[in-house]
Amino acid sequence: MSIGHTLLGLLESGPRHGYDLKRTFDEKFGHDKPLHYGQVYSTMSRLLKNGLVEVDGIETEGGPERKRYAITDAGITDVEQWLATPEKPEPYLQSTLYTKVVLALLTERDASEMLDSQRAEHLRLMRILTDRKRKGDLADQLICDHALFHLEADLRWLELAAARLGKLAEEVRSA
């Protein structure tokens, strides 16, 4: 995720302090990985340097100085371009799961046991996400669905790898 673009997009609704940006980001996007304050302020500093935001005001009421940031026209254009650009699909051609299966076979370990263990871990996480989805709002449901679909694809791959384990063992050991 582009944190800079996300913060810029949040600024389109109006000027905000770094604290407000962090809070809104965490509410909307950071359920599992909230932003650190340092990350917000370093990102805002970079956006300021690049002319994508400007300081809209500085407040000093009862504490440290707080800058209020506003998005510039260049920032709006940058967000528009980012939103219009499709994300590159991840082909997963350098899969850690595949690497583990091949290494297990090369070292004559039990690859099927490793696949079973991985399947159990995927199912455990799927149960957690399904429960979270059931209890969540629409945004949380969509996030969980995205993760669940990826886990389902992994499970299908685990089943396929288990079915082809004998042939794969022959190929990797003969090379």
Side-chain angles (χ1 to χ4, degrees), residues 101-102 104-106 109-113 115 158-175:
V101 169
V102 171
L105 293 171
L106 284 172
R109 289 184 171 90
D110 188 352
S112 62
E113 185 178 302
L115 288 170
L158 291 167
E159 294 300 323
L160 182 65
R164 295 180 177 172
L165 212 48
K167 180 143 177 68
L168 182 60
E170 289 174 22
E171 284 187 20
V172 299
R173 290 178 183 153
S174 69

Side-chain angles (χ1 to χ4, degrees), residues 12-54:
E12 282 200 50
S13 65
R16 297 176 188 226
H17 298 97
Y19 173 81
D20 297 328
L21 286 167
K22 179 202 173 346
R23 185 178 41 79
T24 304
F25 181 98
D26 290 351
E27 287 173 3
K28 301 287 185 197
F29 312 108
H31 293 233
D32 294 315
K33 191 175 180 185
L35 282 179
H36 296 286
Y37 284 105
Q39 196 172 11
V40 172
Y41 293 110
S42 65
T43 301
M44 295 312 296
S45 177
R46 189 179 72 252
L47 295 173
L48 186 62
K49 179 182 167 191
N50 293 335
L52 302 175
V53 299
E54 61 191 8

Side-chain angles (χ1 to χ4, degrees), residues 1 6 22-35 129 132-133 135-144:
M1 173 188 326
T6 305
K22 179 202 173 346
R23 185 178 41 79
T24 304
F25 181 98
D26 290 351
E27 287 173 3
K28 301 287 185 197
F29 312 108
H31 293 233
D32 294 315
K33 191 175 180 185
L35 282 179
L129 288 170
R132 176 176 163 180
K133 177 183 163 182
K135 296 174 183 173
D137 60 10
L138 182 58
D140 212 32
Q141 291 169 14
L142 285 169
I143 289 168
C144 289

Side-chain angles (χ1 to χ4, degrees), residues 17 58-66 68:
H17 298 97
I58 299 176
E59 297 173 10
T60 56
E61 304 168 7
E65 191 175 271
R66 292 177 12 153
R68 188 175 54 246

